[in-house]
Amino acid sequence: MQFFIYSRKSVYTGKGESIENQIEMCRQYIHNKFSDVTDADITVYEDEGFSAKNTDRPQFQQMLRDIQLKKPDFVVCYRLDRISRNVSDFSALIEDLNERDISFVCIKEEFDTSKPMGKAMMYMASVFAQLERETIAERVRDNMLMLARTGRWLGGTTPTGYTSEKQREIIMDGKVKTSCKLKDNPDELRAVDVMFEKFLELRSVSGVSKYLIKQGIKSRSGKFYSLPGIKEILQNPVYCIADKDALDYFTAQNADVCFEEKDCSDRYGLLAYNKRDYKKKHAPRQSMDKWIIAIGKHKGRVSGKKWVAVQNILEENIPTGKKPAKMHNDYSLLSGLIYCEKCGSRLFAKPRVGKRATPGLFDYICQNKLRGGTDLCDCQNIGGQQADDMVCEHLMTYTDESSGIYKLLEKLKHELQGQKQENPLGVIEVRMSQCNEEIDNLVRTLSQGDLNPAFVQRVNIRIGELDKELSGLKQEHERLQSNAERMADKEMQVELLAAALSSLKNNFSDLSIHEKRTLIRLLVKKIVWDGKDLHIFMDGE
């Protein structure tokens, strides 16, 4: 008889239900129940440092593969939750084992799926295991929110201007409780003060960025503050003093405010919890009605009145359908497509302003220069209409069939078609099918029983060889499939380039500015501005 033992523990420890203890208890159970079993009949799979929330564990997955090849008589574990706390994962495993006539045993709960009652009890236990996991998660969240209402810092990346400091306090019976609070970082807080003052003066995040760059004020990482980073600081309630203005603002936003007017103080700042939804990808910011606002144990920096004024300005600057974002204009063709040779950033269109500026004229300006002036990049601006005309004039030269680009596209098309014909995907797929069929036949042979041990050994060796070959074939198949997809993409790109050239020649002047942009991006890979000349790199060249 063949036995598989599976053991798991979420974190490494040297005590309690350790991996070693689980395995030893499973071995004892097997030897007590089956006296003729030797250690050679037992295969052990160990996963340490993996939770049971899913089955993405290396040794567990290896056991599943071995179950298909070797077909043990029993799979044994110490406790049900060592396998999974997810009902669907557990049910799938049990169904698979039942189909292969393999019994599943949990020695702690004394479940045996070879018996109907054991199978029923196993399903019930798995339901409770999943319920326990979900209850633990909910309890942890509730405890975190309860602690949040006390104004404690709950950990994570500390806001700019602060560090995290541990506090120890004695409670009943001499027990020590540890919590965290925010501690001032004077250098960073001076930068924060500048951001709020300058934003109220300039009413622009980019204006604040330029000022910080000119003053040489950098973040804790040694880099200049990014625009999103500055905005995040301006929106963070941690700098807001817990006064009446702050209370009224967050109450009006339907936030869960954990203090009353009598608690307001000019001494402390605020802490906001539950600002982001970590169940979703990239943890997006939640609306303020989901926030929990409490009085922290750190000193606030900005009065509630000033902090609210900053939020109102930021709200006014949010692009809407009636007021589009500045980078989305309806007058430039090349915004974001030109690159600055000096610093590598993109050039964006900016209308000329001032009393002497001619209406409708604009320039392409390096993004770093827009952000921090000549302190970041001193590349010369280029007239927008002049650049658009130069690029369009250059593109028109490619519409002449004598330019050579049509011949180049035709050559590329023939090369791609030849590579498609040489792709041996079909041969690989036939061999994979043959390997799978041979493995299935060998597995069926092993299931007949009463076979010579030497024969069984040779069959297992052959199955191992086929499995190794199949693994290599799958990798090669994936590589060839990826190459085929890339060739298909290139072939489509060639067709699009040919169509774009035709459209450019026949009706470019009749297209809208948005259609012209799309057409240019199909033909042009990149444009580089060195301060004197534009260098145009065509796609396909």
Side-chain angles (χ1 to χ4, degrees), residues 9 43 79 100 146 166 206 229 261 283 314 318 332 347 352 371 484 491 502 506 515 538:
K9 194 160 189 181
T43 305
R79 240 174 46 195
R100 299 175 187 276
M146 182 186 71
K166 285 188 176 181
S206 61
E261 186 173 345
L314 288 170
I318 294 176
S332 70
L347 273 69
R352 294 181 184 176
R371 180 183 163 203
E491 193 171 9
S502 177
N506 298 328
E515 290 170 333
M538 296 292 290

Side-chain angles (χ1 to χ4, degrees), residues 165-438:
E165 180 182 53
K166 285 188 176 181
Q167 289 183 310
R168 292 162 57 89
E169 56 181 292
I170 306 296
I171 56 176
M172 290 189 304
D173 300 327
K175 293 181 180 179
V176 178
K177 180 176 67 175
T178 303
S179 60
C180 294
K181 64 172 287 188
L182 293 177
K183 182 181 178 181
D184 288 2
N185 181 326
D187 290 338
E188 288 186 0
L189 282 175
R190 282 192 288 272
V192 171
D193 293 340
V194 169
M195 290 183 203
F196 276 94
E197 291 300 325
K198 281 297 172 183
F199 184 78
L200 287 170
E201 174 190 337
L202 303 172
R203 305 174 70 87
S204 164
V205 174
S206 61
V208 174
S209 174
K210 289 178 183 178
Y211 181 83
L212 295 175
I213 291 169
K214 287 180 179 179
Q215 298 300 315
I217 299 174
K218 297 182 179 181
S219 67
R220 65 179 64 165
S221 65
K223 299 179 180 179
F224 287 115
Y225 288 95
S226 65
L227 296 180
I230 295 171
K231 187 175 180 181
E232 181 73 22
I233 289 171
L234 294 174
Q235 290 180 313
N236 198 334
V238 74
Y239 309 106
C240 180
I241 293 172
D243 56 19
K244 176 71 164 50
D245 291 307
L247 173 66
D248 292 342
Y249 175 79
F250 284 108
T251 302
Q253 299 296 324
N254 294 317
D256 186 356
V257 182
C258 303
F259 62 96
E260 300 176 0
E261 186 173 345
K262 62 182 178 61
D263 302 315
C264 290
S265 167
D266 292 339
R267 183 178 177 186
Y268 296 112
L270 298 174
L271 284 177
Y273 308 89
N274 205 37
K275 290 194 299 181
R276 296 187 178 275
D277 187 354
Y278 290 99
K279 294 179 181 178
K280 296 181 179 178
K281 191 176 182 181
H282 304 307
R285 178 184 284 260
Q286 302 199 97
S287 57
M288 283 192 189
D289 61 329
K290 303 286 195 309
W291 292 14
I292 297 173
I293 305 294
I295 298 178
K297 300 181 183 298
H298 64 286
K299 183 174 176 57
R301 305 295 297 185
V302 182
S303 69
K305 185 175 182 179
K306 281 187 175 181
W307 192 87
V308 172
V310 168
Q311 308 316 303
N312 290 334
I313 296 171
L314 288 170
E315 187 73 22
E316 290 173 5
N317 290 341
I318 294 176
T320 64
K322 295 181 180 179
K323 188 180 73 174
K326 292 180 181 179
M327 66 174 60
H328 299 135
N329 60 69
D330 57 359
Y331 54 84
S332 70
L333 292 178
L334 309 174
S335 189
L337 188 60
I338 308 174
Y339 288 81
C340 174
E341 188 177 65
K342 283 195 173 183
C343 69
S345 65
R346 298 171 187 262
L347 273 69
F348 291 97
K350 184 179 180 182
R352 294 181 184 176
V353 294
K355 294 181 180 179
R356 298 183 180 180
T358 303
L361 292 184
F362 65 96
D363 296 298
Y364 289 114
I365 306 177
C366 168
Q367 186 179 29
N368 277 338
K369 190 175 182 180
L370 280 169
R371 180 183 163 203
T374 54
D375 293 306
L376 280 187
C377 186
D378 60 357
C379 183
Q380 180 70 32
N381 302 342
I382 181 173
Q385 194 60 55
Q386 176 190 5
D388 287 356
D389 291 344
M390 287 172 60
V391 171
C392 288
E393 183 178 344
H394 179 76
L395 293 181
M396 284 300 175
T397 63
Y398 284 88
T399 62
D400 188 344
E401 293 185 9
S402 63
S403 67
I405 195 170
Y406 283 102
K407 293 180 180 178
L408 176 61
L409 292 176
E410 193 65 27
K411 180 182 177 183
L412 284 172
K413 190 173 180 180
H414 284 303
E415 288 177 356
L416 291 170
Q417 288 174 346
Q419 290 174 19
K420 283 174 66 177
Q421 292 174 357
E422 295 171 4
N423 197 328
L425 261 176
V427 176
I428 298 290
E429 289 170 353
V430 169
R431 182 55 190 153
M432 286 173 64
S433 178
Q434 291 172 345
C435 287
N436 281 317
E437 185 177 354
E438 187 174 349

Side-chain angles (χ1 to χ4, degrees), residues 29-150:
Y29 176 88
I30 293 170
H31 288 306
N32 290 337
K33 292 286 185 180
F34 306 93
S35 57
D36 58 338
V37 173
T38 66
D39 286 344
D41 300 320
I42 300 173
T43 305
V44 177
Y45 302 87
E46 308 172 25
D47 276 319
E48 188 147 14
F50 293 89
S51 76
K53 66 181 180 181
N54 57 48
T55 58
D56 189 15
R57 294 167 250 146
Q59 283 296 294
F60 185 81
Q61 291 298 323
Q62 183 61 51
M63 182 180 73
L64 295 182
R65 290 192 290 270
D66 290 347
I67 284 172
Q68 296 179 4
L69 294 175
K70 301 177 183 178
K71 196 194 172 197
D73 298 284
F74 288 86
V75 173
V76 183
C77 71
Y78 169 65
R79 240 174 46 195
L80 178 65
D81 62 1
R82 301 302 90 191
I83 294 292
S84 177
R85 286 196 177 104
N86 184 290
V87 174
S88 60
D89 289 340
F90 178 77
S91 300
L93 173 65
I94 296 301
E95 289 298 331
D96 186 47
L97 294 180
N98 286 341
E99 288 178 5
R100 299 175 187 276
D101 198 25
I102 301 171
S103 297
F104 180 74
V105 177
C106 286
I107 64 172
K108 190 72 173 177
E109 293 90 351
E110 295 186 357
F111 292 158
D112 186 344
T113 59
S114 63
K115 302 172 184 178
M117 184 57 69
K119 182 177 178 181
M121 291 298 293
M122 192 74 76
Y123 278 124
M124 291 175 61
S126 70
V127 171
F128 283 108
Q130 180 174 349
L131 178 61
E132 179 189 11
R133 174 172 170 261
E134 293 174 353
T135 302
I136 290 172
E138 187 68 22
R139 189 161 61 241
V140 168
R141 181 180 178 277
D142 290 343
N143 287 339
M144 291 288 283
L145 295 181
M146 182 186 71
L147 289 172
R149 297 175 195 280
T150 67

Side-chain angles (χ1 to χ4, degrees), residues 416 419-420 423 483-492:
L416 291 170
Q419 290 174 19
K420 283 174 66 177
N423 197 328
N483 288 343
E485 290 172 359
R486 281 198 296 270
M487 283 189 287
D489 289 341
K490 288 181 180 179
E491 193 171 9
M492 182 178 292

